[in-house]
Amino acid sequence: GAGVSQSPSNKVTEKGKDVELRCDPISGHTALYWYRQSLGQGLEFLIYFQGNSAPDKSGLPSDRFSAERTGGSVSTLTIQRTQQEDSAVYLCASSGEYNEQFFGPGTRLTVL
Amino acid sequence: AQSVTQLGSHVSVSEGALVLLRCNYSSSVPPYLFWYVQYPNQGLQLLLKYTTGATLVKGINGFEAEFKKSETSFHLTKPSAHMSDAAEYFCAVSSNDYKLSFGAGTTVTVRA
């Protein structure tokens, strides 16, 4: 497709379980971003990948969060030992020129 | 560092009336400025952006915004509201790096 895609669209998990969220960016976009949108915190930057450079992980809230990007394309955000405060919508975006970020539909994560 | 302030978390307008959403930013370098719209259960969609050049920027769906450096503002307007404009709107700023800093969002409701 032409846009950013994310899977799954919804994920319900139990506290303490690990989850993986997937993002497929727009073809040809070298930059990829993860954001978190929650009621209490609004939209927060999590992590940024640009080409083969080391990612900027400065927004990750704890060491339970990690992300990788394979082959400069697909990215996976992993949350280990999920907590209830991790419940949020996780948005992925990719960009080309002028940092115009195109967002995917998000994954709604609910931790019970 | 940059930050964004959106005045008014909720705005209610009558169909056909002017829509005005206020955004003020702070940035230590010339900013890139963006407005995004989010419909329920969807990701963010770019409405318009300012990078350089003309300070009045026209976007999709009849929206426009004007960059006023002296006022550090980037207010979003639409002359005549339509029911389909009901959504949440986010102003965002980026400097010469890559992170978007978002405002808290403004929810627009349109009264028939």
Side-chain angles (χ1 to χ4, degrees), chain B residues 76-95:
Chain B
L76 181 72
T77 60
K78 181 174 180 177
S80 176
H82 191 271
M83 298 298 288
S84 61
D85 295 326
E88 189 162 18
Y89 293 79
F90 293 92
C91 182
V93 63
S94 175
S95 66

Side-chain angles (χ1 to χ4, degrees), chain A residues 33 35 37 42-45 48 56 58-59 89 91 97-106 108, chain B residues 32 34 36 38 41-46 49 51-52 88 90 94-95 97-100 102-104:
Chain A
Y33 315 74
Y35 293 86
Q37 185 175 26
L43 275 157
E44 303 172 278
F45 166 84
Y48 162 74
D56 178 348
S58 61
V89 176
L91 294 168
E97 191 177 16
Y98 290 128
N99 196 25
E100 181 177 333
Q101 296 181 28
F102 293 86
F103 284 78
R108 181 175 298 277
Chain B
Y32 296 162
F34 306 82
Y36 284 86
Q38 186 177 34
N41 300 313
Q42 296 187 27
L44 279 73
Q45 180 183 5
L46 181 68
K49 67 180 189 287
T51 54
T52 59
E88 189 162 18
F90 293 92
S94 175
S95 66
D97 63 9
Y98 40 80
K99 299 176 191 177
L100 284 176
F102 286 92

